[in-house]
Amino acid sequence: DRMYQLDRPTDVARDPFTNHILISDTGNQRLVRWQLNDDETSENGAVIIDHVECYRIAMDTCKNIYFSDIENHAVVRYCEASGKRAVVA
């Protein structure tokens, strides 16, 4: 899978701290960060979390990412700075 080839993206959230969006790439089982720019052919994505069936995503003011993990029937908080995950619901 190439970074720019999404498979069943189910949600998008804007990162309020950077010029990026977060994409739940459900079919590829990953959460990716994509830079917003005018170049539609840009291959500028980065995998944040791999091997997860993420369906919905959000980000709080402390830069934590929340996502619904549909495979494990949970809502997870992910701290990118530490790499730690915690089930919150």
Side-chain angles (χ1 to χ4, degrees), residues 15-72:
D15 182 338
F17 305 100
T18 65
N19 192 36
H20 291 84
I21 56 174
L22 306 172
I23 304 170
S24 57
D25 187 9
T26 305
N28 287 320
Q29 296 186 326
R30 61 189 181 185
L31 177 69
V32 297
R33 175 177 281 120
W34 205 270
Q35 183 174 352
L36 293 173
N37 59 33
D38 295 330
D39 183 4
E40 293 180 14
T41 62
S42 177
E43 297 180 31
N44 60 13
V47 175
I48 299 171
I49 304 169
D50 209 357
H51 308 293
V52 64
E53 288 197 41
C54 174
Y55 192 72
R56 297 281 189 225
I57 50 177
M59 180 178 265
D60 67 16
T61 57
C62 296
K63 299 184 180 183
N64 293 307
I65 299 169
Y66 295 83
F67 62 92
S68 57
D69 182 347
I70 59 175
E71 183 177 355
N72 294 304

